[in-house]
Structures are given as structure tokens and as C-alpha cells.
Amino acid sequence: MQPDSSAPILDVAGLSVRYGKVEALHKAAIKVRSGQIVSVIGPNGAGKSTLLNAIMGALPVSGHAKGAIAFRGEDVSAVPVEKRVERGMCLVPEKRELFSTMTVEDNLVLGAYRRKRAGERDFLDQLEPVFQLFPRLKERRKQASGTLSGGERQMLAVGRALMGKPDLLMLDEPSLGLAPLIVKEIFHIISALRQTGVATLLIEQNARAALQISDYGYVLETGELVLEGAAADLAQNPRVIETYLGLTKKVA
Ligand SMILES: Nc1ncnc2c1ncn2[C@@H]1O[C@H](COP(=O)(O)OP(=O)(O)O)[C@@H](O)[C@H]1O
Ligand SMILES: [Mg+2]
């Protein structure tokens, strides 16, 4: 874990979101430091996607955010989503938004489009590292992405995000709808990302899997962050165990 003294790469404070008159997020405060995996766990409808979309500046038109979002020390709360991407923020949304008729490789190349347009000569330099991280994608590089399994599609969505070489990767429920063995594989890979130096903000309903690979965690319930702490401590917290981890099961 990074020492707490290092400046956070993401520092969110007093972030509230409304959809019309309904407040979906109330004064959220979150910090992520480089090289860390931070998770936000919470049930369906708690406001997890709202939180991520607001940080990314990608709320639906009916959503209005207020509050401070500092990325690498600069306030980005008024910065449009494309510019947040340019600065190194990246969101893999709940809907993976792959181009299903395009091949795996072409989807990955598309993930580097912004870097290409910015004139970066080595814009494809993450292709091999991504293939190393996801050997299944390499095997299927010429296959149309629509023919992939759910787990492989999730891997492709994460791989495509990594092609842009982000400093902060935000993942909205990467385990959603996947079989337990595949969830394990995906989380193992997310955990391995730590070595690349990327910071990860992980939103999950699967509290057990998320806390196991995280440094720090937050619990979001009906729009409010009600608990936070080192992930290992949260996993031992009686309230977390009762509500999110089940009474009888212990975290390994
Ligand atoms: N576009 C929207 N318009 C109105 N209400 C919304 C919209 N998106 C989400 N909500 C509401 O905001 C709350 C939080 O939703 P969401 O952030 O998707 O939760 P989660 O990702 O934790 O399941 C829910 O009550 C949901 O109905
Ligand atoms: Mg959601």
C-alpha cells in the first residue's frame, strides 16, 4: 500500500448528484492514491454508477453534479469528459460499449485512438502488455468481439481502456453477470494492474472479491458513504460482514 502521505491522484470532496429533484449522491468524499486499488461497495441502486459517472463528467443529461473533483491536484469538475480522458482518467462503464462486429484487435486499437490523434508515435505500445495480461484476447485477436464470452468481453473492455495508458482506471462492476471462476480471473488481473502504477477505482456489488484485492474501501448506501477504511479492516467489520459478506463465510 502507498503511504498516506503521498498526494492523492484523485481527491473528491462534497460531491452531490441530483436527477431532477431526487438526490442520488450526497456529499461524497473519496481519495485514491497512485498505485492503489480503492473500492466502493454497495447494493443495487446505492448510487455507485452515479458516483463514477460524476467523477468522469459523464452523467446523463438529467444528472447534475456539484462538488470538488481534483485530479492530479487540479480541479476538473468543470472540465468536459474528453479533456478528463486526455488528462489520464478512464472509465469502463457498466455497459461495456464494445463494437461487436469489429475484431478483438481492432477494438483494442480503437482504445488508443486518442493517443494516435494526439500524435503519439508509440500509440500502440500497450498492445503487447495487454495481450500479456489477457492471453485469451491474444488467442482471439482476429475474432469478432460479439462472439466472445461475457468474461472475455469484460477483459476486452478493460484491455481497451488500458490501451489509452490512463493514470486512473475506473471500473463499474466488472464482475456483473460473470461466473465465479471468471470473476476470480478478472480480479486477479485487476490486482496485477497495481504493478503498472495505474490507480484503480473499483465499484462493486461483489464486496468479497473487491475487498480482497483492494487497499482501501468505502461503503455506499442510498447515496451516502457510510463507512470507510483499509480494505482488510472493512472485511473484518461486523456490519460489513453481516450486510455484504454473509454471516457464516469468512474472508480468506
Ligand atoms: N438517469 C437517471 N435519471 C433518474 N434517476 C436515476 C438515473 N440514473 C440513476 N438514477 C437513480 O439514482 C439512484 C442510483 O443509481 P445508480 O447510480 O445507477 O446506482 P448503482 O450503480 O449503485 O446501482 C437510483 O435510485 C436510480 O434509480
Ligand atoms: Mg451501477
Side-chain angles (χ1 to χ4, degrees):
M1 206 200 299
Q2 298 287 309
D4 267 11
S5 55
S6 68
I9 185 165
L10 178 73
D11 194 345
V12 171
L15 183 62
S16 299
V17 176
R18 297 182 159 278
Y19 297 108
K21 286 191 175 138
V22 182
E23 194 179 50
L25 189 69
H26 183 70
K27 293 188 176 167
I30 279 188
K31 282 185 173 63
V32 181
R33 298 170 201 283
S34 60
Q36 265 191 342
I37 300 175
V38 172
S39 58
V40 178
I41 60 173
N44 206 8
K48 301 184 300 299
S49 295
T50 297
L51 171 68
L52 270 203
N53 291 333
I55 293 171
M56 194 65 212
L59 282 170
V61 283
S62 59
H64 294 280
K66 67 170 196 205
I69 304 164
F71 182 65
R72 297 200 300 198
E74 286 176 45
D75 182 47
V76 295
S77 54
V79 172
V81 56
E82 304 81 19
K83 301 278 178 200
R84 293 189 208 193
V85 174
E86 273 174 28
R87 290 185 188 201
M89 301 171 80
C90 184
L91 168 64
V92 179
E94 211 173 282
K95 294 194 184 82
R96 314 304 177 206
E97 292 168 356
L98 300 170
F99 294 92
S100 56
T101 58
M102 284 172 54
T103 64
V104 166
E105 184 161 345
D106 287 345
N107 267 286
L108 289 173
V109 169
L110 209 62
Y113 178 71
R114 179 196 55 79
R115 296 179 59 201
K116 182 183 181 186
R117 207 181 41 186
E120 290 184 38
R121 283 210 188 150
D122 58 351
F123 68 97
L124 290 179
D125 65 354
Q126 296 305 299
L127 193 58
E128 269 316 309
V130 165
F131 279 149
Q132 265 176 27
L133 215 48
F134 303 101
R136 281 159 180 252
L137 295 184
K138 187 167 189 174
E139 287 164 25
R140 290 160 177 76
R141 64 201 289 175
K142 299 295 178 199
Q143 202 170 310
S145 66
T147 65
L148 297 177
S149 72
E152 289 159 0
R153 290 171 66 81
Q154 182 56 258
M155 291 174 193
L156 180 54
V158 175
R160 190 177 59 179
L162 292 174
M163 291 295 292
K165 240 181 167 176
D167 298 312
L168 175 68
L169 182 65
M170 296 188 276
L171 303 174
D172 195 345
E173 297 208 41
S175 79
L176 198 69
L178 301 181
L181 262 180
I182 308 293
V183 171
K184 207 172 166 193
E185 198 178 333
I186 298 260
F187 275 80
H188 182 74
I189 292 165
I190 296 170
S191 170
L193 289 179
R194 203 190 258 111
Q195 281 129 45
T196 70
V198 71
T200 304
L201 180 56
L202 175 66
I203 300 295
E204 265 296 339
Q205 276 188 65
N206 189 334
R208 183 181 306 275
L211 291 178
Q212 269 176 3
I213 62 161
S214 296
D215 300 290
Y216 201 83
Y218 297 85
V219 178
L220 184 64
E221 287 174 0
T222 52
E224 291 203 49
L225 292 168
V226 293
L227 265 180
E228 65 171 275
D233 294 341
L234 275 188
Q236 302 295 332
N237 181 302
R239 188 169 157 197
V240 174
I241 292 174
E242 187 177 70
T243 314
Y244 299 102
L245 302 176
L247 281 167
T248 51
K249 295 176 198 155
K250 272 188 111 176
V251 179

